[in-house]
Amino acid sequence: MSDFILRLQSAVTDVVIKTHPFAEIIYWGPHLSHFSSQDAACLTRPVANGRLDVDSPVTLMAELGHGLFGAPGIEGHRQGLDASPIFTTIKVEQNEQNLTIFSEDKHAGLRLCSEIQLDSSGVLNVRHGLTNLREQPWQVDRFAVTLPVAERAREVMAFHGRWIREFQPHRLILEHDSFVLENRRGRTSHEHFPAMITGSQTFSEMQGEVWGVHLGWSGNHRLRAEVKTDGRRYLQAEALYLPGEIALAEGETLWTPNLYGSYSAQGLNGMSQQFHRYLREQIIHFPDNKPRPVHLNTWEGIYFDHDPQYIMQMADEAAQLGVERFIIDDGWFKGRNDDWAALGDWYLDEKKYPNGLMPVIEHVKSLGMEFGIWVEPEMINPDSDLYRSHPDWVLAMPGYETLTGRHQYVLNLNIPQVFDYLLERMSWLLGEHLVDYVKWDMNRELVQPGYNGKAAADAQTRQFYRLLDTLVARFPHIEFESCASGGGRIDYEVLKRSHRFWASDNNDALERNIIQRGMSYFFPPEVMGSHIGNRYCHATFRQHSITFRGLTALFGHMGLEIDPVSADQQEREGYRKYTALHKQWRDVIHHGVQWRVDMPDATTLAHGVVSQDKCQAIFLVSQLAMPDYSLMAPLRISGLEPSARYQLTLLDHPNIQITGEGGHTMRKLPEWMTTSQTVSGEWLQQAGLSLPILDPESAILIGLQRV
Ligand code: GLA
């Protein structure tokens, strides 16, 4: 048996796979320093009474035919036949940390190619390709990647959300059956971020074992955590297909999306750090190495009200504030005066811009800033010239009334003329103007997505990738942001062809604290768009100090979402201050190691970044609501060099009122805040640092410099 045991290893994680006769992952856990393939024999299971007389493996393809009795990894048929495949390994290729297993079912006429890669970051990346070997099509109903996890992974964490409330974590103890997350919205969605984390009970940011997975796919999907009746557990993820959507012709291959997995014995931080490193090394490709420029986006400043003179004034002010990239949002194209009309008509609105866009762009450039522009290519308003001439270009099911969302329909990118039209219009915009950056939006879900009467959600997602890929190849110097009503299309597959995410349309700092933390489990700060919004938040009408807003926006790809012309002096000072502070720490934030800190009081959120060389660190403590306790727990800072000493600095804080009499939260500040102090990395990690008592909706920023 030991001949058929292969191992993929990284410094933190190993995966052990039994390859014959059926491929099976038998171990995914901590790195094994004394591995011998013979050891695997002691994991051979007994056969329980009262069920099949043979062992039932959870194979790589999780076929029902082995007696899985759980959610299988493959379902489909050839007009009812060949519906219960079992794949037998025919060839195995290992090239360092890449394993490819070829297997076949001769009865069903199907071939499988499974690619398993364990990156040096510790991230596991798995996908399967299914090929039909017969003349008659094989109808694919389901095709998933299945990853067994240890029996002790009893707790599940996933994310729910909605527009202006993305990445909300929730947890449950799963003892039996399954927990399923299904997305049928046609884009990655705000509601069902395609990820699941399982772990030892009460795993936290800093403790416990966790196995986290993310499906790299921007369409419909299904993720599942399953407990078999024998106690074994697995995670499963797939693109979700609508009825009849996928039929494989002879010789045709269907690939699952990539499923990315990260195991950590050090809680959620370890999982995220591995994902971040993987993205930085394998997926994120910025056109060049320059720092991520600070943005000013016009949306919440002027909405659809575009006057080039005023926009140039905004640019003047933006440059004064330290902004490095100026973006014109929605409202620049023909007839776009509100969200009822004009999507699809990608021609400049000459009434608003009688001299064209170039004077504005040149003005922005003359101020030393880059120029960006908003588009939403996949959409069409019924009230548009495009719809009037091509009503049949809509992604819809014939015979039914198509529902609008934000007064718009979806364009059917599967129609070659539609694809060509969009490519031509986008190429005009990007080729004939000095554009450095595109905010690519997608503001409607897919309902009854149809092409030639058949379901076409999967095909639509693939065509979106193709369109964006073509533009990225044609304009390699341009960066793209993925936005879908805020954070509706955030995933690793779209990140292969984009450079930033608009995390949420909600710039309320209180809400952003939760949203951004949720996003940080899977994405590093440099791809997370985080803007300082108006004092009165447009999404919630809450009011926050510039300090709280500024500090909250600091830990991402920062920007401003305001009108700097109409802002008062105090606000402007704040924008300038936090832009400068971000630039000062940008290198650490965008390249360092991110840590979230466990705090006993759920109303306190603490997180920070330690530079790769452990010489600098920056930590933010945000108090979201009235603290539960009268003192705040010490802040324990991980990731520093234990033997080194660090100078503590209070980089920024609100007006910490110490009234002595008459109430308020605090009489005396912690000592380190008023005297100069150095502390060892070990002490900070094990014992920590006293915190001042913060008011609700305020934050402090702490800097550490190795001495
Ligand atoms: C979406 C985006 C916003 C903004 C508007 C413009 O809602 O999420 O940021 O660009 O569209 O219409």
Side-chain angles (χ1 to χ4, degrees):
M1 170 182 167
S2 57
D3 290 352
F4 297 134
I5 302 292
L6 295 179
R7 171 169 72 148
L8 300 175
Q9 55 172 319
S10 72
V12 279
T13 306
D14 286 6
V15 175
V16 180
I17 298 139
K18 182 174 167 246
T19 58
H20 289 77
F22 317 109
E24 183 188 355
I25 293 180
I26 57 173
Y27 176 85
W28 176 24
H31 170 64
L32 304 163
S33 310
H34 310 285
F35 173 74
S36 155
S37 58
Q38 282 159 5
D39 294 347
C42 77
L43 258 191
T44 313
R45 289 170 290 264
V47 174
N49 219 341
R51 40 184 299 178
L52 296 178
D53 296 331
V54 292
D55 175 58
S56 350
V58 178
T59 48
L60 209 50
M61 210 358 84
E63 304 98 315
L64 276 182
H66 294 292
L68 180 79
F69 301 118
I74 183 164
E75 288 183 288
H77 60 97
R78 218 184 292 282
Q79 293 207 325
L81 302 176
D82 302 330
S84 185
I86 293 183
F87 294 91
T88 308
T89 304
I90 51 173
K91 192 167 74 168
V92 176
E93 286 170 4
Q94 184 169 9
N95 178 4
E96 296 182 353
Q97 297 313 307
N98 300 298
L99 185 66
T100 311
I101 301 176
F102 300 90
S103 52
E104 214 168 277
D105 180 338
K106 290 205 163 57
H107 300 288
L110 297 171
R111 187 184 301 142
L112 193 68
C113 171
S114 305
E115 294 178 352
I116 308 170
Q117 177 198 63
L118 184 66
D119 186 71
S120 56
S121 59
V123 168
L124 179 65
N125 175 1
V126 184
R127 67 167 191 162
H128 301 297
L130 178 73
T131 309
N132 175 19
L133 304 176
R134 301 255 169 87
E135 199 183 323
Q136 240 195 353
W138 201 78
Q139 177 70 49
V140 184
D141 294 337
R142 291 190 48 238
F143 188 38
V145 177
T146 305
L147 290 180
V149 290
E151 285 76 355
R152 57 192 186 276
R154 291 174 63 215
E155 193 158 347
V156 179
M157 174 171 164
F159 300 86
H160 67 97
R162 62 172 177 89
W163 177 62
I164 59 175
R165 198 153 194 260
E166 295 82 347
F167 288 106
Q168 304 292 312
H170 61 117
R171 295 172 70 141
L172 60 131
I173 306 282
L174 188 66
E175 301 285 21
H176 301 284
D177 296 308
S178 51
F179 168 71
V180 179
L181 188 154
E182 270 190 6
N183 172 43
R184 295 167 185 276
R185 292 175 182 266
R187 59 184 178 192
T188 318
S189 88
H190 303 74
E191 288 78 5
H192 314 282
F193 175 65
M196 240 183 225
I197 301 164
T198 57
S200 51
Q201 236 172 303
T202 68
F203 65 82
S204 69
E205 305 296 350
M206 295 153 86
Q207 282 171 36
E209 282 187 285
V210 295
W211 290 258
V213 296
H214 165 69
L215 186 74
W217 180 241
S218 314
N220 291 333
H221 59 249
R222 182 185 290 115
L223 275 82
R224 178 190 301 266
E226 174 119 352
V227 188
K228 284 171 53 61
T229 51
D230 59 24
R232 281 180 289 165
R233 289 166 180 262
Y234 57 86
L235 295 172
Q236 194 171 64
E238 65 204 84
L240 183 152
Y241 302 125
L242 300 174
E245 196 167 10
I246 310 276
L248 288 178
E250 186 177 11
E252 206 182 337
T253 301
L254 172 73
W255 286 97
T256 64
N258 292 84
L259 183 67
Y260 302 90
S262 173
Y263 163 81
S264 157
Q266 265 94 45
L268 292 159
N269 278 321
M271 177 200 80
S272 302
Q273 288 162 5
Q274 286 160 209
F275 276 133
H276 293 185
R277 195 180 134 195
Y278 181 79
L279 290 184
R280 284 172 174 172
E281 289 173 5
Q282 304 295 343
I283 291 198
I284 303 169
H285 299 291
F286 296 122
D288 51 37
N289 273 333
K290 65 167 188 275
R292 311 278 70 232
V294 174
H295 283 195
L296 185 135
N297 188 54
T298 59
W299 179 239
E300 291 194 1
I302 53 169
Y303 291 103
F304 296 103
D305 191 7
H306 288 210
D307 165 3
Q309 287 310 320
Y310 193 77
I311 288 177
M312 288 195 268
Q313 230 182 308
M314 289 173 81
D316 291 335
E317 292 294 334
Q320 291 284 317
L321 298 174
V323 167
E324 297 161 314
R325 185 185 272 162
F326 185 86
I327 299 108
I328 294 191
D329 206 287
D330 197 355
W332 60 268
F333 49 99
K334 196 165 151 257
R336 185 67 169 172
N337 300 318
D338 51 40
D339 63 9
W340 283 85
L343 286 173
D345 297 343
W346 300 109
Y347 296 86
L348 188 67
D349 191 327
E350 286 170 3
K351 282 197 197 130
K352 290 183 187 169
Y353 293 88
N355 304 318
L357 262 183
M358 277 315 279
V360 180
I361 299 178
E362 275 160 5
H363 185 74
V364 167
K365 300 253 172 186
S366 75
L367 293 163
M369 295 185 290
E370 293 185 11
F371 176 77
I373 195 152
W374 179 95
V375 295
E376 193 181 359
E378 296 146 89
M379 298 293 154
I380 180 168
N381 283 118
D383 183 1
S384 66
D385 292 345
L386 190 70
Y387 184 77
R388 281 181 281 275
S389 39
H390 299 285
D392 52 331
W393 279 12
V394 170
L395 185 74
M397 281 296 177
Y400 296 89
E401 184 199 346
T402 308
L403 306 179
T404 53
R406 207 190 186 201
H407 322 297
Q408 62 202 50
Y409 297 141
V410 182
L411 275 170
N412 187 348
L413 304 185
N414 301 289
I415 300 173
Q417 293 88 326
V418 173
F419 189 95
D420 293 346
Y421 167 76
L422 291 175
L423 189 59
E424 188 276 319
R425 282 293 81 205
M426 291 302 120
S427 299
W428 158 77
L429 177 65
L430 308 186
E432 296 187 23
H433 303 88
L434 300 172
V435 174
D436 304 291
Y437 169 87
V438 173
K439 176 176 176 182
W440 183 300
D441 213 336
M442 197 273 202
N443 286 313
R444 211 206 86 153
E445 294 148 322
L446 310 190
V447 186
Q448 287 190 308
Y451 180 36
N452 294 333
K454 287 172 117 178
D458 181 83
Q460 177 78 3
T461 306
R462 290 176 196 274
Q463 293 296 348
F464 154 66
Y465 288 152
R466 188 165 75 92
L467 181 59
L468 189 47
D469 285 343
T470 312
L471 289 165
V472 169
R474 210 173 263 191
F475 305 102
H477 61 285
I478 296 183
E479 290 186 19
F480 290 84
E481 175 175 69
S482 172
C483 171
S485 304
R489 190 153 62 190
I490 299 182
D491 62 79
Y492 288 8
E493 190 58 32
V494 75
L495 187 56
K496 289 181 184 166
R497 40 193 62 83
S498 55
H499 309 93
R500 187 187 205 250
F501 293 115
W502 185 223
S504 181
D505 277 350
N506 195 340
N507 294 315
D508 177 320
L510 185 59
E511 302 294 335
R512 272 283 182 152
N513 264 281
I514 311 285
I515 295 167
Q516 295 181 179
R517 166 163 291 221
M519 188 166 165
S520 80
Y521 289 105
F522 292 89
F523 298 89
E526 65 270 25
V527 296
M528 182 181 72
S530 57
H531 292 183
I532 302 179
N534 283 278
R535 186 189 299 135
Y536 289 92
C537 170
H538 288 198
T540 61
F541 286 13
R542 271 202 200 101
Q543 220 188 130
H544 287 125
S545 68
I546 183 63
T547 308
F548 192 45
R549 280 176 288 144
L551 290 179
T552 303
L554 205 68
F555 284 83
H557 180 179
M558 194 176 147
L560 307 176
E561 189 83 22
I562 42 100
D563 172 10
V565 177
S566 61
D568 64 34
Q569 194 53 28
Q570 193 192 350
E571 279 284 295
R572 268 213 291 263
E573 277 314 312
Y575 305 150
R576 196 193 322 273
K577 171 178 162 181
Y578 290 101
T579 300
L581 188 62
H582 174 76
K583 287 182 185 172
Q584 191 188 337
W585 285 90
R586 171 164 60 186
D587 194 47
V588 173
I589 294 171
H590 290 172
H591 297 103
V593 179
Q594 197 174 46
W595 293 90
R596 293 171 301 260
V597 186
D598 284 333
M599 296 297 281
D601 186 336
T603 63
T604 313
L605 280 193
H607 70 93
V609 182
V610 178
S611 65
Q612 295 286 349
D613 63 6
K614 302 185 181 181
C615 286
Q616 281 178 293
I618 181 168
F619 275 77
L620 181 72
V621 180
S622 303
Q623 188 56 39
L624 306 187
M626 190 64 184
D628 268 349
Y629 305 108
S630 52
L631 286 178
M632 299 192 41
L635 176 71
R636 289 166 64 212
I637 298 181
S638 300
L640 302 171
E641 187 59 47
S643 60
R645 295 197 70 78
Y646 292 86
Q647 175 72 47
L648 299 170
T649 324
L650 186 64
L651 291 173
D652 197 48
H653 61 87
N655 271 334
I656 302 176
Q657 233 178 311
I658 315 163
T659 56
E661 303 297 328
H664 217 70
T665 50
M666 194 169 38
R667 277 176 189 249
K668 188 170 180 289
L669 291 167
E671 206 168 286
W672 70 268
M673 286 177 65
T674 49
T675 56
S676 168
Q677 203 166 331
T678 69
V679 201
S680 79
E682 183 182 50
W683 182 267
L684 286 168
Q685 171 157 10
Q686 304 300 353
L689 175 72
S690 228
L691 289 174
I693 303 150
L694 295 175
D695 290 333
E697 300 174 25
S698 72
I700 60 164
L701 187 69
I702 300 164
L704 295 109
Q705 177 72 47
R706 190 172 172 162
V707 289

